[in-house]
């Protein structure tokens, strides 16, 4: 019997998740069907319930529904509760819906795969939205020396840092207060989608530093181009995308797929 999964979003036609999970299923021999569903902006809960009624076993959730997905869950993982957002829905045997977030795990696993050491590093994270909120706990769990969150609205960054201060040395403020050098700078803003660059100082990167953009594309983002011109090693977010998908697949099927061949195939297809 083939089990049904999907990704919910709005819009969703651009999603690479069906191709990723099809590759995972082929690799592991798991019998699943994975589709993309554009949920109505005003009835995400109804879309999930209809999917379950039609035999759905679980789903990924992308913008703009991650916070709403969190609210509909009967149970939440500790990391999803901390993040206040869910990107993975799991239908339990008793019919209850459990929510988890795998974005942070996807980011940390990609950094490790790329040889980036977080322990003892000076880390700057740009942005204070849901994307950043979902990755702070896993980043802090790796033991950085410092982690600073910078955002256009300074108060939002400070409030976010306060929510995670029990987990490690995290601080927050505005872009105008950013002063390097940093060993790792992660762009979690949506500026790359519009070809814009957050206002950043020239002396941002330490020698041998890494710049990571959660966005990806066939060409480097404006942030990665800017960082590369200043001597940083640059990594885009495609590996994070595949990594978080692998973590979701593991939550559903109990099998952890090999990310590398799927990532290589996606990269060639960009």
């Amino acid at each position: 019997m083939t089990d049904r999964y999907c990704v919910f979003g709005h819009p969703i036609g651009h999603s690479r998740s069906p191709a990723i999970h099809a590759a995972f299923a082929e690799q592991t021999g798991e019998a699943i069907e994975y589709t993309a569903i554009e949920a109505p902006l005003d009835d995400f809960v109804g879309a999930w319930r209809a999917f379950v009624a039609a035999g759905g076993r679980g789903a990924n959730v992308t913008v703009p529904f991650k916070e709403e997905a969190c609210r509909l869950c009967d149970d939440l993982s500790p990391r999803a509760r901390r993040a206040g957002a869910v990107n993975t829905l799991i239908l339990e045997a008793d019919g209850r819906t459990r929510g988890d977030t795998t974005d942070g795990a996807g980011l940390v696993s990609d950094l490790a795969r790329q040889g980036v050491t977080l322990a003892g590093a000076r880390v700057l994270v740009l942005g204070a939205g849901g994307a950043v909120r979902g990755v702070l706990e896993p980043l802090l769990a790796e033991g950085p020396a410092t982690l600073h969150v910078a955002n256009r609205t300074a108060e939002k960054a400070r409030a976010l840092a306060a929510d995670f201060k029990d987990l490690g040395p995290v601080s927050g403020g505005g872009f105008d207060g950013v002063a390097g050098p940093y060993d790792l700078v992660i762009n979690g803003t949506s500026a790359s989608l519009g070809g814009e660059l957050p206002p950043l100082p020239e002396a941002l990167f330490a020698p041998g530093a890494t710049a990571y953009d959660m966005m990806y594309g066939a060409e480097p983002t404006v942030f990665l181009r800017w960082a590369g011109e200043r001597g940083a090693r640059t990594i885009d977010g495609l590996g994070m995308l595949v990594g978080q998908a692998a973590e979701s697949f593991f939550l559903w099927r109990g099998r952890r797929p090999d990310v590398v061949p799927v990532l290589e195939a996606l990269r060639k297809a960009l």
Side-chain angles (χ1 to χ4, degrees), residues 69-92:
C70 187
R71 292 192 294 270
L72 78 77
C73 291
D74 300 301
D75 302 296
L76 291 170
S77 70
R79 60 188 178 183
R81 186 175 296 108
R82 169 78 72 164
V86 157
N87 82 331
T88 306
L89 295 172
I90 304 124
L91 185 69
E92 302 282 25

Side-chain angles (χ1 to χ4, degrees), residues 7 13 34 52 59 61 69-70 87 122 127 131 152 162 173 200 211 219 265 270:
V7 57
Y34 188 108
V52 169
V61 183
C70 187
N87 82 331
R122 296 162 293 181
R152 196 172 302 277
L200 300 170
E219 300 296 329
L270 286 180

Side-chain angles (χ1 to χ4, degrees), residues 70-195:
C70 187
R71 292 192 294 270
L72 78 77
C73 291
D74 300 301
D75 302 296
L76 291 170
S77 70
R79 60 188 178 183
R81 186 175 296 108
R82 169 78 72 164
V86 157
N87 82 331
T88 306
L89 295 172
I90 304 124
L91 185 69
E92 302 282 25
D94 61 2
R96 293 170 65 84
T97 299
R98 178 162 59 92
D100 207 335
T101 178
T102 66
D103 288 331
L107 171 61
V108 169
S109 66
D110 191 38
L111 289 168
R113 196 162 44 246
Q114 302 278 359
V116 178
T117 301
L118 283 164
R122 296 162 293 181
V123 180
L124 173 65
V125 181
L126 306 174
V132 169
R133 189 175 189 90
V135 303
L136 288 184
E137 181 177 8
L139 287 172
L140 288 166
E142 295 297 311
T146 60
L147 191 156
H148 185 70
V149 179
N151 189 57
R152 196 172 302 277
T153 305
E155 187 52 45
K156 189 173 182 181
R158 284 193 285 267
L160 183 57
D163 287 345
F164 288 82
K165 66 181 180 180
D166 59 311
L167 300 182
V170 58
S171 58
F175 288 133
D176 57 357
V178 172
Y182 290 97
D183 303 303
L184 171 64
V185 180
I186 300 171
N187 182 26
T189 73
S190 58
S192 291
L193 295 175

